[in-house]
Amino acid sequence: MTETSHRLKESTVQTGNERGVKMTERRWPKTWAKRIRQGFKHLPLAVLKFLVNLGTLPYYRMFQFYTYQPIILIAAYTSSPGKLHKVLYHLDRWRTRKLSELQFISIGSAILAAATIGSFSWSAIVDAYWLASAFWYSSLILSILGILLAAQQVAVLQLLGKPPTRVHGGCSEKAGVRRFLPLILTEVRPRGSRTDAVCDSDSVGEWRPRWKMVFIWQCPSMFLSYSVCFFLAGLTLFVCTPLIRGDKWNTASDIAVVYLATGAFAGPIFVFASFWIYHYVDLDHESRDIPETETDAEMLREYDRLHF
């Protein structure tokens, strides 16, 4: 009886295992099909993120530090009840950072435009490879547009003034916050009527990033960064004209070789320094007098998970 029971038990276990394997084999195609569908669903967003990262590569850190992350944080905190003080804090910090960035861009673009104009006075420019002049003209126009656009944005921020840093329950203070938010966000879910949304002590409504404004606020940095790239490309072509045309080796060829060697040495150092100078910057800096249960980095990750 014992042996018979043991065999019956083994047979039952084996039958159960076979059924489990068959069920797994049946579910496997459905599971992978579901994963493939989800992958295709997120493919356009992944491609868009890749293109954004590629396009902002020359000024990626500035884009993240001065424009993208502050705007995403402000949008994330508007979606969280009881976080109005964080909205005010990050809104004021974004304005301060943006003014500092625009001031730097104005000075940098002016210096670069002067350098480009001075380059056209070189007598050898007449014999240089034609793309050198084309890149320098492109650099000049981008520098000028960067100066003008930075001036416009500074004027807008100065016109609006500083946002309130503390909320004491007054409608005028929340109205001041809502006056700033459309510059970077678009409202998707107002809390009650417009008056209620303004006077609600706990929220200013739910907002999400206004992507055209994200693009506009990063334009001065984009113009300056690509202006620098065009200027350096033009300078490289100008110096390397003898090598490009395959002229007989002369002093200009020696200069081109030394120039390329210097660029090969200094370029990686510049990239290395540019990366690490921002690496230890605390982008998750918190206001010292505001106790928090979650960090800005956690809020960013949660917002990305829910909306992207």
Side-chain angles (χ1 to χ4, degrees):
M1 289 293 292
T2 304
E3 185 177 355
T4 303
S5 301
H6 183 67
R7 289 179 180 178
L8 181 61
K9 185 176 181 180
E10 287 182 350
S11 176
T12 304
V13 172
Q14 185 177 2
T15 303
N17 291 337
E18 291 177 354
R19 289 178 180 176
V21 171
K22 290 181 179 179
M23 290 294 294
T24 303
E25 291 177 350
R26 291 176 182 175
R27 291 176 181 175
W28 183 83
K30 295 181 179 180
T31 302
W32 277 100
K34 183 178 180 181
R35 291 180 179 178
I36 292 173
R37 286 196 299 269
Q38 290 177 348
F40 277 111
K41 181 180 179 181
H42 296 290
L43 182 61
L45 183 60
V47 172
L48 180 60
K49 285 185 175 181
F50 172 77
L51 293 177
V52 170
N53 291 335
L54 183 64
T56 59
L57 187 61
Y59 58 104
Y60 179 78
R61 292 288 184 173
M62 292 182 66
F63 172 68
Q64 293 288 327
F65 188 74
Y66 290 106
T67 303
Y68 180 76
Q69 286 194 6
I71 291 177
I72 295 298
L73 269 176
I74 294 170
Y77 281 121
T78 61
S79 305
S80 302
K83 296 292 186 179
L84 183 56
H85 61 290
K86 294 292 291 182
V87 174
L88 298 178
Y89 169 69
H90 284 287
L91 191 60
D92 179 68
R93 190 171 67 161
W94 168 77
R95 179 182 179 273
T96 302
R97 284 182 177 179
K98 183 56 67 173
L99 285 173
S100 175
E101 178 199 23
L102 294 173
Q103 182 181 9
F104 163 76
I105 289 172
S106 299
I107 297 173
S109 297
I111 294 174
L112 186 59
T116 305
I117 293 173
S119 301
F120 288 116
S121 64
W122 298 345
S123 58
I125 191 66
V126 179
D127 300 323
Y129 190 66
W130 68 272
L131 268 179
S133 297
F135 281 141
W136 278 345
Y137 280 118
S138 301
S139 174
L140 180 60
I141 189 63
L142 288 177
S143 297
I144 294 174
L145 292 178
I147 294 173
L148 296 177
L149 193 54
Q152 291 178 359
Q153 294 185 2
V154 168
V156 169
L157 294 176
Q158 295 288 4
L159 182 64
L160 290 175
K162 294 190 65 176
T165 56
R166 291 288 186 272
V167 174
H168 303 289
C171 293
S172 60
E173 295 170 339
K174 298 180 188 64
V177 175
R178 291 177 62 89
R179 188 175 69 250
F180 266 92
L181 292 182
L183 293 175
I184 53 178
L185 307 175
T186 180
E187 192 169 14
V188 293
R189 189 184 302 169
R191 300 294 176 89
S193 65
R194 183 172 180 82
T195 304
D196 294 338
V198 172
C199 296
D200 185 2
S201 60
D202 193 41
S203 175
V204 288
E206 185 175 344
W207 303 69
R208 61 178 173 81
R210 194 187 297 265
W211 295 113
K212 67 177 180 181
M213 297 306 297
V214 174
F215 175 78
I216 290 172
W217 284 111
Q218 63 88 47
C219 272
S221 295
M222 179 181 68
F223 284 157
L224 175 60
S225 299
Y226 279 103
S227 179
V228 172
C229 293
F230 279 130
F231 179 80
L232 292 177
L235 181 62
T236 302
L237 290 173
F238 172 78
V239 176
C240 297
T241 294
L243 301 180
I244 295 173
R245 291 177 175 171
D247 296 340
K248 186 178 179 180
W249 198 269
N250 52 25
T251 304
S253 302
D254 295 333
I255 294 174
V257 171
V258 173
Y259 170 84
L260 292 175
T262 304
F265 172 75
I269 294 177
F270 172 79
V271 173
F272 176 82
S274 298
F275 174 81
W276 287 105
I277 194 64
Y278 280 101
H279 184 74
Y280 297 108
V281 175
D282 184 13
L283 298 180
D284 190 25
H285 174 71
E286 293 289 333
S287 178
R288 301 305 180 189
D289 58 346
I290 301 179
E292 293 298 329
T293 58
E294 59 183 345
T295 64
D296 291 342
E298 292 172 347
M299 179 62 74
L300 279 174
R301 286 193 294 268
E302 181 66 16
Y303 191 83
D304 284 340
R305 185 184 66 83
L306 294 176
H307 296 84
F308 302 108

